[in-house]
Amino acid sequence: MVEKGWLPTERGTTSNTDRIMDLWVNSWIAALVVGIITWGLIVWCLVAYRRRKGTVGFPRQTSFNLPLEVFYLTIPLFMVLVFFYFTDRDQQAIDDRSQPADVVVDVRGKQWAWDFNYKKGEVITEDVHEAGVQAHLTGEAVDKEKLPTLYLPVGKSVDVELNSRDVIHSFWVPAFLQKRDMIPGKTNYIRFTPTKEGTYDGKCAELCGEYHSEMLFRVKVVSESEFQAHMNQLRQDGNTGLLGEEYDRNPSLTEKK
Protein backbone atom coordinates (compact mmCIF):
# COMPACT_ATOMS: atom_id res chain seq x y z
CA MET A 1 0.00 0.00 0.00
CA VAL A 2 2.80 2.41 0.88
CA GLU A 3 4.59 1.66 -2.42
CA LYS A 4 1.60 2.87 -4.42
CA GLY A 5 0.64 5.63 -1.99
CA TRP A 6 -2.76 4.10 -1.19
CA LEU A 7 -3.89 4.90 -4.74
CA PRO A 8 -6.82 2.86 -6.17
CA THR A 9 -4.85 0.76 -8.66
CA GLU A 10 -1.77 -1.38 -9.25
CA ARG A 11 1.50 -0.58 -10.96
CA GLY A 12 1.59 -1.33 -14.67
CA THR A 13 -2.11 -0.80 -15.37
CA THR A 14 -1.34 1.75 -18.10
CA SER A 15 1.77 3.38 -19.51
CA ASN A 16 1.21 6.32 -17.13
CA THR A 17 0.29 4.75 -13.79
CA ASP A 18 3.86 4.05 -12.65
CA ARG A 19 4.95 7.61 -13.45
CA ILE A 20 1.96 9.09 -11.61
CA MET A 21 2.51 6.81 -8.60
CA ASP A 22 6.20 7.69 -8.38
CA LEU A 23 5.45 11.42 -8.52
CA TRP A 24 2.73 11.06 -5.88
CA VAL A 25 4.74 8.88 -3.47
CA ASN A 26 8.00 10.84 -3.81
CA SER A 27 6.15 14.12 -3.28
CA TRP A 28 4.67 12.79 -0.06
CA ILE A 29 8.09 11.53 1.08
CA ALA A 30 9.61 14.96 0.46
CA ALA A 31 6.70 16.66 2.25
CA LEU A 32 7.04 14.32 5.25
CA VAL A 33 10.80 14.92 5.48
CA VAL A 34 10.24 18.68 5.46
CA GLY A 35 7.42 18.27 8.00
CA ILE A 36 9.56 16.22 10.37
CA ILE A 37 12.39 18.76 10.18
CA THR A 38 9.96 21.63 10.75
CA TRP A 39 8.25 19.90 13.68
CA GLY A 40 11.68 19.07 15.15
CA LEU A 41 12.80 22.69 14.94
CA ILE A 42 9.55 23.88 16.54
CA VAL A 43 9.96 21.45 19.45
CA TRP A 44 13.63 22.41 19.81
CA CYS A 45 12.72 26.13 19.96
CA LEU A 46 10.00 25.42 22.55
CA VAL A 47 12.50 23.61 24.76
CA ALA A 48 15.65 25.71 24.18
CA TYR A 49 13.97 29.09 24.42
CA ARG A 50 11.30 28.39 26.98
CA ARG A 51 10.87 30.87 29.80
CA ARG A 52 12.89 29.64 32.77
CA LYS A 53 11.69 29.77 36.33
CA GLY A 54 12.65 33.01 38.00
CA THR A 55 13.17 34.88 34.72
CA VAL A 56 11.86 38.43 34.75
CA GLY A 57 11.36 40.94 31.96
CA PHE A 58 11.58 40.33 28.23
CA PRO A 59 14.40 38.36 26.53
CA ARG A 60 16.94 40.25 24.46
CA GLN A 61 15.32 41.39 21.20
CA THR A 62 16.99 41.20 17.77
CA SER A 63 15.78 43.19 14.77
CA PHE A 64 16.88 40.70 12.12
CA ASN A 65 19.02 37.66 11.38
CA LEU A 66 20.29 37.78 7.81
CA PRO A 67 21.54 34.16 7.49
CA LEU A 68 18.24 32.85 8.87
CA GLU A 69 16.17 35.05 6.56
CA VAL A 70 18.20 33.93 3.51
CA PHE A 71 17.64 30.32 4.60
CA TYR A 72 13.88 30.88 4.94
CA LEU A 73 13.80 32.34 1.41
CA THR A 74 16.10 30.01 -0.53
CA ILE A 75 15.01 26.61 0.85
CA PRO A 76 11.25 27.02 0.17
CA LEU A 77 12.05 28.51 -3.26
CA PHE A 78 14.31 25.54 -4.05
CA MET A 79 11.59 23.10 -2.96
CA VAL A 80 8.95 24.78 -5.12
CA LEU A 81 11.25 24.71 -8.15
CA VAL A 82 12.05 21.02 -7.63
CA PHE A 83 8.36 20.13 -7.29
CA PHE A 84 7.58 22.21 -10.38
CA TYR A 85 10.32 20.54 -12.43
CA PHE A 86 9.26 16.97 -11.73
CA THR A 87 5.54 17.75 -12.06
CA ASP A 88 6.04 19.53 -15.38
CA ARG A 89 8.34 16.77 -16.66
CA ASP A 90 5.80 14.05 -15.90
CA GLN A 91 2.85 16.08 -17.16
CA GLN A 92 4.61 16.73 -20.47
CA ALA A 93 5.34 13.01 -20.85
CA ILE A 94 1.78 11.97 -19.94
CA ASP A 95 0.16 14.45 -22.33
CA ASP A 96 2.62 13.90 -25.19
CA ARG A 97 0.62 13.42 -28.40
CA SER A 98 3.44 14.13 -30.85
CA GLN A 99 3.01 10.67 -32.40
CA PRO A 100 -0.33 9.37 -33.75
CA ALA A 101 -2.13 6.88 -31.54
CA ASP A 102 -2.95 3.33 -32.65
CA VAL A 103 -6.57 3.69 -31.52
CA VAL A 104 -8.70 6.84 -31.40
CA VAL A 105 -12.02 6.81 -29.53
CA ASP A 106 -14.35 9.78 -29.42
CA VAL A 107 -16.05 9.52 -26.01
CA ARG A 108 -19.12 11.73 -25.66
CA GLY A 109 -20.66 12.32 -22.26
CA LYS A 110 -24.38 13.02 -22.09
CA GLN A 111 -26.97 13.34 -19.36
CA TRP A 112 -26.53 10.65 -18.06
CA ALA A 113 -24.66 8.06 -20.11
CA TRP A 114 -21.86 7.69 -22.62
CA ASP A 115 -21.43 7.26 -26.37
CA PHE A 116 -18.27 5.62 -27.74
CA ASN A 117 -17.15 6.37 -31.31
CA TYR A 118 -14.36 4.10 -32.53
CA LYS A 119 -12.60 5.94 -35.35
CA LYS A 120 -11.07 4.30 -38.40
CA GLY A 121 -7.30 4.17 -38.16
CA GLU A 122 -4.29 1.96 -37.62
CA VAL A 123 -6.16 -0.77 -35.77
CA ILE A 124 -9.84 -0.03 -36.51
CA THR A 125 -10.77 -0.66 -40.15
CA GLU A 126 -14.14 1.16 -40.16
CA ASP A 127 -15.91 3.81 -38.10
CA VAL A 128 -18.25 2.18 -35.60
CA HIS A 129 -20.08 3.38 -32.53
CA GLU A 130 -21.84 2.23 -29.39
CA ALA A 131 -24.56 4.30 -27.72
CA GLY A 132 -24.75 3.96 -23.96
CA VAL A 133 -27.90 3.83 -21.86
CA GLN A 134 -28.11 5.40 -18.41
CA ALA A 135 -27.84 3.12 -15.40
CA HIS A 136 -30.76 3.13 -12.96
CA LEU A 137 -30.01 2.88 -9.26
CA THR A 138 -32.77 1.00 -7.47
CA GLY A 139 -31.04 0.15 -4.20
CA GLU A 140 -30.02 -3.21 -5.60
CA ALA A 141 -26.57 -4.12 -6.90
CA VAL A 142 -25.89 -2.55 -10.29
CA ASP A 143 -25.78 -5.02 -13.17
CA LYS A 144 -22.41 -3.96 -14.53
CA GLU A 145 -22.86 -6.06 -17.66
CA LYS A 146 -25.48 -3.55 -18.80
CA LEU A 147 -23.33 -0.47 -18.28
CA PRO A 148 -21.83 1.37 -21.29
CA THR A 149 -18.51 -0.36 -21.91
CA LEU A 150 -15.45 1.04 -23.65
CA TYR A 151 -13.28 -1.65 -25.27
CA LEU A 152 -9.53 -1.06 -25.65
CA PRO A 153 -6.80 -3.36 -27.00
CA VAL A 154 -3.94 -4.09 -24.62
CA GLY A 155 -0.54 -2.77 -25.65
CA LYS A 156 -1.91 -0.24 -28.17
CA SER A 157 -1.61 3.50 -27.65
CA VAL A 158 -5.00 5.16 -27.26
CA ASP A 159 -6.23 8.70 -27.77
CA VAL A 160 -9.47 9.27 -25.89
CA GLU A 161 -11.16 12.34 -27.34
CA LEU A 162 -13.39 13.81 -24.66
CA ASN A 163 -16.51 15.72 -25.74
CA SER A 164 -19.76 16.67 -24.04
CA ARG A 165 -23.18 16.66 -25.63
CA ASP A 166 -24.77 19.02 -23.10
CA VAL A 167 -23.18 20.13 -19.79
CA ILE A 168 -19.74 19.73 -18.22
CA HIS A 169 -18.92 16.11 -17.42
CA SER A 170 -15.68 14.45 -16.34
CA PHE A 171 -14.19 11.18 -17.63
CA TRP A 172 -12.66 9.24 -14.73
CA VAL A 173 -11.31 5.71 -14.51
CA PRO A 174 -9.79 5.51 -11.00
CA ALA A 175 -7.55 2.57 -11.92
CA PHE A 176 -5.91 4.65 -14.67
CA LEU A 177 -5.16 7.57 -12.30
CA GLN A 178 -6.26 10.08 -14.93
CA LYS A 179 -9.32 12.30 -14.99
CA ARG A 180 -10.24 15.10 -17.35
CA ASP A 181 -13.24 17.38 -17.84
CA MET A 182 -15.52 17.19 -20.86
CA ILE A 183 -16.55 20.73 -21.79
CA PRO A 184 -19.26 21.58 -24.36
CA GLY A 185 -17.70 22.97 -27.53
CA LYS A 186 -14.15 21.91 -26.56
CA THR A 187 -12.31 18.64 -27.15
CA ASN A 188 -9.95 17.43 -24.43
CA TYR A 189 -7.67 14.42 -24.71
CA ILE A 190 -6.23 11.62 -22.62
CA ARG A 191 -3.34 9.61 -24.11
CA PHE A 192 -2.21 6.30 -22.62
CA THR A 193 -1.39 2.72 -23.47
CA PRO A 194 -3.33 0.08 -21.48
CA THR A 195 -0.79 -2.55 -20.43
CA LYS A 196 -2.83 -4.92 -18.29
CA GLU A 197 -5.96 -6.78 -19.39
CA GLY A 198 -8.96 -6.43 -17.12
CA THR A 199 -12.25 -4.68 -16.50
CA TYR A 200 -12.17 -1.28 -14.81
CA ASP A 201 -14.96 0.85 -13.38
CA GLY A 202 -15.46 4.42 -14.53
CA LYS A 203 -17.81 7.27 -13.71
CA CYS A 204 -18.52 10.92 -14.30
CA ALA A 205 -16.60 12.96 -11.73
CA GLU A 206 -18.33 16.31 -12.32
CA LEU A 207 -21.74 17.09 -10.83
CA CYS A 208 -23.84 17.22 -14.00
CA GLY A 209 -27.44 17.17 -12.90
CA GLU A 210 -30.10 15.15 -11.12
CA TYR A 211 -28.87 11.67 -12.09
CA HIS A 212 -25.13 12.36 -11.97
CA SER A 213 -24.53 9.37 -9.67
CA GLU A 214 -26.01 7.05 -12.31
CA MET A 215 -23.57 8.10 -15.03
CA LEU A 216 -21.46 4.95 -14.82
CA PHE A 217 -19.41 3.01 -17.36
CA ARG A 218 -16.75 0.34 -17.63
CA VAL A 219 -13.53 -0.08 -19.56
CA LYS A 220 -12.53 -3.53 -20.82
CA VAL A 221 -8.89 -3.91 -21.78
CA VAL A 222 -8.72 -7.02 -23.95
CA SER A 223 -6.45 -8.78 -26.43
CA GLU A 224 -6.36 -7.38 -29.95
CA SER A 225 -8.26 -10.39 -31.29
CA GLU A 226 -11.05 -9.87 -28.74
CA PHE A 227 -11.07 -6.16 -29.54
CA GLN A 228 -11.44 -6.86 -33.26
CA ALA A 229 -14.23 -9.35 -32.50
CA HIS A 230 -16.09 -6.61 -30.65
CA MET A 231 -15.59 -4.19 -33.55
CA ASN A 232 -16.96 -6.84 -35.94
CA GLN A 233 -19.95 -7.38 -33.66
CA LEU A 234 -20.73 -3.65 -33.72
CA ARG A 235 -20.60 -3.70 -37.52
CA GLN A 236 -22.91 -6.71 -37.66
CA ASP A 237 -25.33 -4.94 -35.33
CA GLY A 238 -25.50 -2.04 -37.80
CA ASN A 239 -23.54 0.40 -35.60
CA THR A 240 -21.42 1.76 -38.43
CA GLY A 241 -20.49 5.42 -38.65
CA LEU A 242 -20.07 7.89 -35.80
CA LEU A 243 -22.56 9.52 -33.45
CA GLY A 244 -21.21 13.02 -33.86
CA GLU A 245 -22.18 16.58 -33.01
CA GLU A 246 -25.62 16.22 -34.58
CA TYR A 247 -26.77 14.61 -31.33
CA ASP A 248 -25.38 17.37 -29.09
CA ARG A 249 -27.71 19.83 -27.40
CA ASN A 250 -27.55 22.99 -25.31
CA PRO A 251 -29.83 22.63 -22.26
CA SER A 252 -29.28 26.28 -21.28
CA LEU A 253 -31.18 27.44 -24.37
CA THR A 254 -34.96 27.21 -24.42
CA GLU A 255 -37.05 27.33 -27.54
CA LYS A 256 -39.45 30.23 -27.91
CA LYS A 257 -43.04 29.13 -28.00
Side-chain angles (χ1 to χ4, degrees), residues 101-240:
D102 299 322
V103 175
V104 178
V105 186
D106 172 18
V107 175
R108 293 192 173 257
K110 59 187 182 182
Q111 291 176 312
W112 287 271
W114 308 82
D115 292 339
F116 303 125
N117 290 310
Y118 299 90
K119 292 187 172 182
K120 179 180 178 180
E122 189 74 22
V123 175
I124 302 170
T125 58
E126 183 181 1
D127 290 337
V128 291
H129 67 265
E130 195 161 9
V133 179
Q134 176 189 345
H136 292 286
L137 305 182
T138 61
E140 303 294 331
V142 175
D143 185 356
K144 293 186 176 182
E145 294 301 322
K146 295 182 179 179
L147 292 177
T149 302
L150 173 62
Y151 278 75
L152 298 176
V154 68
K156 299 293 183 180
S157 60
V158 178
D159 250 355
V160 180
E161 298 180 349
L162 301 174
N163 294 286
S164 171
R165 295 204 183 280
D166 36 52
V167 300
I168 296 178
H169 300 287
S170 185
F171 180 89
W172 184 33
V173 182
F176 293 172
L177 300 182
Q178 290 182 261
K179 174 173 62 175
R180 193 147 293 176
D181 280 355
M182 312 168 81
I183 302 171
K186 175 181 172 60
T187 301
N188 283 332
Y189 298 88
I190 292 180
R191 166 69 68 89
F192 62 91
T193 300
T195 52
K196 184 181 293 185
E197 293 187 24
T199 301
Y200 306 96
D201 294 328
K203 62 181 69 177
C204 175
E206 184 79 29
L207 183 60
C208 57
E210 184 177 4
Y211 300 106
H212 160 71
S213 63
E214 300 178 25
M215 195 168 168
L216 309 173
F217 69 99
R218 294 202 301 175
V219 177
K220 282 193 175 183
V221 178
V222 297
S223 64
E224 187 170 355
S225 60
E226 189 174 346
F227 177 77
Q228 293 295 352
H230 184 67
M231 296 298 102
N232 291 333
Q233 185 61 54
L234 291 178
R235 282 191 287 270
Q236 293 174 14
D237 292 342
N239 293 346
T240 56

Side-chain angles (χ1 to χ4, degrees), residues 43-108:
V43 171
W44 177 74
C45 289
L46 290 174
V47 173
Y49 299 106
R50 72 189 186 278
R51 189 176 183 84
R52 266 71 172 186
K53 185 177 181 180
T55 302
V56 296
F58 292 103
R60 184 172 64 89
Q61 304 296 300
T62 56
S63 59
F64 65 92
N65 186 315
L66 185 59
L68 194 59
E69 291 175 6
V70 171
F71 174 82
Y72 283 159
L73 175 65
T74 55
I75 296 303
L77 180 61
F78 174 76
M79 291 171 52
V80 170
L81 291 175
V82 170
F83 276 121
F84 176 82
Y85 168 77
F86 285 107
T87 300
D88 181 67
R89 181 200 65 179
D90 290 344
Q91 184 174 328
Q92 293 289 341
I94 290 169
D95 290 336
D96 181 21
R97 298 177 57 245
S98 57
Q99 299 298 321
D102 299 322
V103 175
V104 178
V105 186
D106 172 18
V107 175
R108 293 192 173 257

